[in-house]
Amino acid sequence: MKSPPPSTSIRKTSYSSYLLILSFIFFIAIIYGEDFACILRQQPPQEHFDHQQQEKDEVVVEVAAERGCNLFSGEWVYDEETRPQYVEEECPYIQPQLTCQAHGRPDKGYQHWRWKPHGCSLPSFNATFMLEMLRGKRMMFVGDSLNRGQFVSMVCLLHRVIPESSKSFETMDSLTVFRAKNYNASIEFYWAPFLVESNSDNAIVHRIPDRIVRAGSINKHAKHWKGVDVLVFNTYLWWMTGQKMKILRGSFQDEMKQNITLMETEDAYKLALRRVVRWVEKNTDPHKTRVFFTSMSPTHERSDGWGGEKDGNCYKETSPIKDPNYWGVSSNKKIMEVIKKVFQKSKVEISLLNITQLSEYRKDAHTSIYKKQWNPLTPEQLANPKSYADCVHWCLPGLQDTWNELLYTQLFFPGLREWK
Ligand SMILES: *[C@@H]1O[C@H](CO)[C@@H](O)[C@H](O)[C@H]1NC(C)=O
Ligand SMILES: *[C@@H]1O[C@H](CO)[C@@H](O)[C@H](O)[C@H]1NC(C)=O
Ligand SMILES: *[C@@H]1O[C@H](CO)[C@@H](O)[C@H](O)[C@H]1NC(C)=O
Ligand SMILES: *[C@@H]1O[C@H](CO)[C@@H](O)[C@H](O)[C@H]1NC(C)=O
């Protein structure tokens, strides 16, 4: 038995989180610690695919794994030939908050970037192969709207090889299910923005500024994940309130017994992740279940961070950041440390989909103003588009397809797992 780590006590700092974040804004971190001795010879460009592609991919990836390829350290390569992997109008499952072309985005460059790890090439995504592997299985994404985006991207990558009569897509409360009936497989999304129980759990009415989290309580949600074969978790954005988190002991129903305490964001986040790990350890079969956690999806709210114009954000950005050392809000470093520590202690393997750095470069990939708006825009907003640009979510097709290529690689080319 491993004893619990000693850091469960709650730090009581007197300065506000806001100051803390400010103090880190100019902190440029050195993020490229890996050595690049592992660079393989370049793969010749694949002009056309043949039936042995899959085997070739396996060989490439196995060789790379032996030499220690870090999938998440690499660069974006502009590729008009093979990207995007599907067309926006041909994937009916993309919600109108993510269909950027349909909402007037004038440029398409953001669809054409391919991720190239320094040490290897990613195997090409083969939808038929993936569905074969998922035959009789359930795959579920659990988390917030960013994970929903990744779920939809996965459905878009897969649905074309399934005949119309064999697929369905339906939402029941917090659960959305895409079924590939001819494979008896499903790809699902479950809304739980904090993973643990919170006052923001309603799948439709959840825009709550005063967020309260019941960090120790997970079963209300987790009973819906039992028996799933591939689980992909995320949680991050909802914790970033800029203030301490409100943690509830007691239940949301019984107001008399409610005890709400304030906790530093990282400490609260750590409590919740530990709860997830405990659930995974108790409820999954390591021989049957694969568990992933997607790291923080970065935002691009301040263009001075990448040397852009003063007071700008992601609005009108059309190309990735080229500085390999770019790392946005540095308070994220602390969250990354929490993720690393908590999952390394798990007795069941939880693979990290470490998409933070590669997504940091993609200031061009957000939905910005090209999405369905919840509320009518005011004349002031219309006069200043960047004031309502969404620099959090990502257009589809786009960046999140890459997250799924990485997930695909980790699932089926296990030589490349990040740890354990
Ligand atoms: C994709 O996978 C299927 C099933 O394994 C295989 O038959 C097919 O040849 C693969 N296609 C490519 C282009 O590799
Ligand atoms: C279909 O898949 C489910 C798991 O998702 C499994 O329980 C069931 O036995 C499968 N049915 C058939 C006919 O293979
Ligand atoms: C609320 O919970 C905290 C932390 O567990 C505890 O120290 C405190 O005594 C509790 N307050 C009440 C009124 O129960
Ligand atoms: C994720 O990748 C970044 C950049 O390569 C690295 O700094 C960070 O430590 C990684 N996170 C974990 C938990 O391994």
Side-chain angles (χ1 to χ4, degrees), residues 69 150 329 401:
C69 174
Q150 190 180 349
V329 194
D401 304 323

Side-chain angles (χ1 to χ4, degrees), residues 97-98 100 105 145-146 236-237 297-303 306 311-317 326 329 359-360 362-371 373 385-395 399 403:
Q97 283 77 34
L98 304 182
C100 297
R105 182 157 178 170
S145 56
L146 289 150
Y236 162 63
L237 201 63
S297 173
T299 61
H300 292 86
E301 307 282 5
R302 298 180 55 113
S303 52
W306 58 82
D311 300 332
N313 57 19
C314 71
Y315 173 59
K316 281 206 162 155
E317 290 292 349
Y326 177 77
V329 194
S359 307
E360 287 282 10
R362 296 302 307 277
K363 62 178 165 55
D364 60 314
H366 291 287
T367 52
S368 184
I369 63 168
Y370 308 109
K371 61 181 283 189
Q373 304 296 334
K386 74 179 179 227
S387 68
Y388 66 95
D390 178 342
C391 300
V392 172
H393 298 96
W394 311 96
C395 302
L399 172 68
W403 299 3

Side-chain angles (χ1 to χ4, degrees), residues 227-291:
V228 170
D229 302 276
V230 182
L231 277 164
V232 185
F233 294 109
N234 93 325
T235 185
Y236 162 63
L237 201 63
W238 283 71
W239 301 87
M240 298 296 118
T241 58
Q243 288 154 14
K244 292 188 181 183
M245 276 314 294
K246 289 188 171 156
I247 300 296
L248 170 73
R249 293 180 175 81
S251 91
F252 280 110
Q253 280 74 37
D254 189 350
E255 286 185 16
M256 294 308 289
K257 288 192 190 144
Q258 284 183 359
N259 176 354
I260 292 175
T261 47
L262 290 177
M263 208 183 261
E264 294 292 338
T265 302
E266 300 96 63
D267 293 322
Y269 189 77
K270 192 188 290 170
L271 272 190
L273 289 197
R274 284 213 190 115
R275 187 66 192 92
V276 172
V277 168
R278 276 211 310 282
W279 182 85
V280 168
E281 287 174 345
K282 269 212 180 114
N283 294 280
T284 63
D285 172 357
H287 302 293
K288 194 175 157 284
T289 322
R290 289 292 306 272
V291 185

Side-chain angles (χ1 to χ4, degrees), residues 122-305:
L122 294 181
S124 32
F125 188 96
N126 181 335
T128 312
F129 173 73
M130 175 142 184
L131 286 164
E132 295 283 357
M133 298 299 280
L134 289 182
R135 192 178 283 281
K137 291 190 163 60
R138 293 172 70 196
M139 174 175 201
M140 190 188 279
F141 293 83
V142 180
D144 60 22
S145 56
L146 289 150
N147 220 17
R148 189 200 300 270
Q150 190 180 349
F151 154 73
V152 171
S153 154
M154 183 60 94
V155 172
C156 291
L157 286 165
L158 293 174
H159 86 102
R160 282 163 306 162
V161 302
I162 307 163
E164 210 51 55
S165 58
S166 294
K167 53 194 174 193
S168 66
F169 188 94
E170 54 179 330
T171 298
M172 301 140 280
D173 299 327
S174 295
L175 188 65
T176 301
V177 181
F178 172 79
R179 267 182 232 288
K181 291 171 198 158
N182 49 344
Y183 290 93
N184 186 31
S186 65
I187 318 287
E188 312 179 24
F189 170 74
Y190 184 90
W191 170 262
F194 291 96
L195 298 181
V196 291
E197 205 180 315
S198 78
N199 66 347
S200 311
D201 289 340
N202 188 298
I204 296 160
V205 190
H206 54 239
R207 323 196 117 234
I208 296 173
D210 188 30
R211 294 164 198 178
I212 304 174
V213 175
R214 212 178 148 199
S217 173
I218 203 168
N219 287 325
K220 178 186 150 205
H221 298 314
K223 63 174 188 257
H224 300 280
W225 321 331
K226 266 199 175 159
V228 170
D229 302 276
V230 182
L231 277 164
V232 185
F233 294 109
N234 93 325
T235 185
Y236 162 63
L237 201 63
W238 283 71
W239 301 87
M240 298 296 118
T241 58
Q243 288 154 14
K244 292 188 181 183
M245 276 314 294
K246 289 188 171 156
I247 300 296
L248 170 73
R249 293 180 175 81
S251 91
F252 280 110
Q253 280 74 37
D254 189 350
E255 286 185 16
M256 294 308 289
K257 288 192 190 144
Q258 284 183 359
N259 176 354
I260 292 175
T261 47
L262 290 177
M263 208 183 261
E264 294 292 338
T265 302
E266 300 96 63
D267 293 322
Y269 189 77
K270 192 188 290 170
L271 272 190
L273 289 197
R274 284 213 190 115
R275 187 66 192 92
V276 172
V277 168
R278 276 211 310 282
W279 182 85
V280 168
E281 287 174 345
K282 269 212 180 114
N283 294 280
T284 63
D285 172 357
H287 302 293
K288 194 175 157 284
T289 322
R290 289 292 306 272
V291 185
F292 293 87
F293 185 85
T294 307
S295 63
M296 309 91 79
S297 173
T299 61
H300 292 86
E301 307 282 5
R302 298 180 55 113
S303 52
D304 49 4

